[in-house]
Amino acid sequence: MQDLDNLSFDAQHIWHPYSSVKHPGQIHEVVSAQGVHLTLSDGRKIIDGMSSWWSAIHGYNHPELNHAAKNQIDDMAHVMFGGLTHPPAVELARKLIDITAEPLQYVFFADSGSVAVEVAIKMAIQYWFAQGQTQKQKILTLRNGYHGDTFGAMSVSDPENGMHNLFEQVLAKQIFAPAPTCLRDEDWQDDDIAEFKTLIETHQHELAAVILEPLVQGAGGMRVYCPEYLRQVRQLCDQHNVLLILDEIATGFGRTGTLFAYEQADICPDILCLGKALTGGYMTLAATLCNDKVAKGISADNDGVLMHGPTFMANPLACKVASASIDVLLASDWQNKVKRIEQKLLTELADYQADPLVKEVRVKGAIGIIELHDMIWEQMTWLPKFIVDQGVWIRPFKNLIYIMPPYIIQSDELSQLTSAMGKILVELNNRNS
Ligand SMILES: *Cc1c(COP(=O)(O)O)cnc(C)c1O
């Protein structure tokens, strides 16, 4: 084993996301990262179009985030959160309560997005339990959703492209409404919510909550939908006594053009999940916020306690970097940056709409998506190398070629990403013919 180089050792011993150790596929080694660039072990610098899965919104190696981490590590890297608190947790909770909707006043720090979703589901079920409504334990959600890889989160992720077939016997049975299709409020028709409406009416007696990703469904299909859908969902949840959980783990912190996507619908969830860009992509941390009704309601019978408590809950290093990341974001001209990215994506991706392989081009905030007619799994043998050879890092999946770059990306760098997306199309066309 000693004489294996890193890539060979990796291929033989290390799992990557959704991978097989038998057919590990093409992997590139990153040795450092700066701004929007990843430096590979062969010396090449490539432009990151993925923000390390929505998270590195300020780019890499940011001086203020580095400073926060370095300072905090000399005070304390970690301390347990049971019975103890610390300034980084309090500071971050203050900021989160401050920047989210006014009713969200309580913060649970979780260690990853999936765990934040588990906690949200627990909050909802425990809330109804404490009200004596022990039959309200199911979750209504949308097809094409993605909420994480733990069991509760998997149970509410898309039943077809998720992992339901593998884990059918162990996954909680949830209720699925069709994915929203209406793109713009101007085109809204009451039919767009009809099936959701029927489901919430029929199942209200057993429903604890609705969970969904507001405005943009991420890993479950990169789909975009209109704010009116969210307003209708909020109304129906109120009417039928069902809590509303918004999963803003991908959309949070400016990605869709507002700090949080729910702002565009002018609604407020009962429970909100945050993660990914929370620490500016530095380390893992997530948060589940909730309103007074849920927080106090869990303890309605006085001895009810929220049953969750991870070992690394509210890790001080992560909290400190998250606070710094929020400061950097708010002090930056992020609205204009996201708007400029959006405008450029709209212009530069529009050209690809006419390509015979392309089903649809979609842009929302700093997210650009090309949906193809066909899946590209088989192309994954040559595609990663082809993409890196274009000087960029884009990771297509299923039938989607998409980017969500760091907000700090410069205009010419963004053009390099969009033209690489075009070159992928050309190459796919060439290999198809
Ligand atoms: C990534 C993601 C999650 C899961 O977060 P992890 O940190 O990967 O566990 C949950 N919900 C949404 C919307 C996500 O994009």
Side-chain angles (χ1 to χ4, degrees):
M1 288 213 289
Q2 224 85 108
D3 48 10
L4 286 178
D5 63 45
N6 281 356
L7 281 174
S8 312
F9 184 90
D10 185 288
Q12 289 181 28
H13 297 283
I14 309 180
W15 258 298
H16 286 263
Y18 317 105
S19 71
S20 143
V21 294
K22 210 165 157 195
H23 307 288
Q26 173 97 46
I27 289 286
H28 294 91
E29 189 181 15
V30 178
V31 290
S32 67
Q34 169 72 45
V36 297
H37 291 100
L38 309 178
T39 303
L40 304 181
S41 50
D42 62 13
R44 287 186 292 175
K45 279 189 168 53
I46 57 177
I47 298 171
D48 179 17
M50 307 300 291
S51 299
S52 279
W53 276 337
W54 312 85
S55 64
I57 53 175
H58 313 299
Y60 300 89
N61 207 6
H62 194 284
E64 286 170 60
L65 273 59
N66 286 7
H67 181 75
K70 285 174 183 167
N71 270 2
Q72 181 57 41
I73 207 164
D74 286 334
D75 286 344
M76 89 188 122
H78 183 65
V79 65
M80 67 182 277
F81 212 51
L84 299 174
T85 192
H86 47 75
V90 177
E91 182 191 7
L92 177 57
R94 281 185 205 272
K95 283 189 206 298
L96 290 176
I97 289 169
D98 202 38
I99 62 175
T100 54
E102 202 274 325
L104 302 170
Q105 292 287 326
Y106 302 86
V107 183
F108 187 102
F109 288 114
D111 24 18
S112 74
S114 302
V115 173
V117 169
E118 300 290 331
V119 169
I121 294 173
K122 279 190 181 178
M123 280 181 180
I125 291 173
Q126 280 201 248
Y127 170 80
W128 291 113
F129 206 87
Q131 314 306 304
Q133 303 231 40
T134 52
Q135 79 293 351
K136 280 171 86 72
Q137 304 214 351
K138 287 205 171 172
I139 311 290
L140 170 59
T141 186
L142 306 178
R143 287 185 182 270
N144 286 102
Y146 176 77
H147 298 283
D149 290 349
T150 52
F151 279 89
M154 274 196 291
S155 79
V156 289
S157 297
D158 188 272
E160 260 135 61
N161 65 31
M163 292 156 269
H164 284 244
N165 54 342
L166 276 173
F167 303 111
E168 171 127 43
Q169 301 300 317
V170 274
L171 282 184
K173 302 274 178 287
Q174 312 291 14
I175 295 155
F176 291 88
T181 50
C182 182
L183 279 176
R184 305 175 323 147
D185 283 352
E186 302 88 276
D187 303 328
W188 179 263
Q189 293 182 319
D190 289 340
D191 254 10
D192 293 322
I193 192 92
E195 212 161 322
F196 182 96
K197 193 163 177 236
T198 309
L199 287 169
I200 198 169
E201 280 165 6
T202 317
H203 294 279
Q204 51 169 305
H205 62 284
E206 55 175 350
L207 283 179
V210 165
I211 186 169
L212 49 80
E213 300 152 275
L215 299 191
V216 179
Q217 294 186 291
M222 301 299 293
R223 298 167 54 94
V224 178
Y225 63 93
C226 68
E228 181 59 22
Y229 190 91
L230 292 176
R231 284 191 284 273
Q232 300 272 337
V233 165
R234 177 70 269 186
Q235 227 172 15
L236 288 167
C237 285
D238 290 339
Q239 257 168 34
H240 297 290
N241 262 329
V242 175
L243 297 172
L244 177 59
I245 304 169
L246 292 184
D247 178 350
E248 293 237 19
I249 291 166
T251 50
F253 301 100
R255 183 56 69 180
T256 67
T258 46
L259 205 47
F260 300 101
Y262 64 73
E263 294 170 25
Q264 292 174 51
D266 208 11
I267 61 154
C268 174
D270 299 291
I271 302 172
L272 174 68
C273 299
L274 301 175
K276 290 201 163 101
L278 174 60
T279 61
Y282 265 52
M283 60 262 277
T284 180
L285 182 71
T288 310
L289 282 78
C290 75
N291 61 17
D292 201 66
K293 168 177 148 178
V294 173
K296 301 244 169 81
I298 287 170
S299 308
D301 50 5
N302 279 326
D303 42 30
V305 295
L306 179 60
M307 288 306 288
H308 212 90
T311 305
F312 288 99
M313 185 165 178
N315 172 255
L317 260 182
C319 286
K320 196 72 196 174
V321 173
S323 280
S325 174
I326 292 171
D327 288 347
V328 166
L329 181 67
L330 297 183
S332 74
D333 189 16
W334 63 271
Q335 286 102 327
N336 275 319
K337 288 195 173 108
V338 170
K339 194 166 281 166
R340 274 199 293 271
I341 295 172
E342 182 173 47
Q343 287 309 323
K344 205 170 168 72
L345 288 173
L346 280 167
T347 321
E348 295 183 1
L349 296 185
D351 298 346
Y352 306 139
Q353 184 70 64
D355 189 288
L357 296 177
V358 174
K359 187 171 166 201
E360 189 178 60
V361 169
R362 300 188 281 269
V363 172
K364 176 76 187 176
I367 311 164
I369 306 150
I370 299 175
E371 181 176 344
L372 308 177
H373 292 287
D374 297 315
M375 294 285 168
I376 42 182
W377 287 132
E378 318 80 70
Q379 325 288 341
M380 288 313 281
T381 46
W382 59 268
L383 198 49
K385 179 179 184 302
F386 178 84
I387 290 170
V388 167
D389 287 345
Q390 311 307 312
V392 300
W393 179 240
I394 300 173
R395 189 159 169 80
F397 79 112
K398 288 188 276 204
N399 57 336
L400 300 159
I401 305 167
Y402 66 103
I403 56 172
M404 55 286 197
Y407 304 161
I408 58 155
I409 195 163
Q410 300 295 311
S411 180
D412 57 324
E413 295 164 338
L414 186 53
S415 292
Q416 261 177 276
L417 285 173
T418 57
S419 77
M421 291 166 92
K423 285 182 191 141
I424 296 170
L425 289 175
V426 171
E427 186 68 11
L428 285 171
N429 273 300
N430 285 344
R431 287 180 186 244
N432 270 9
S433 58

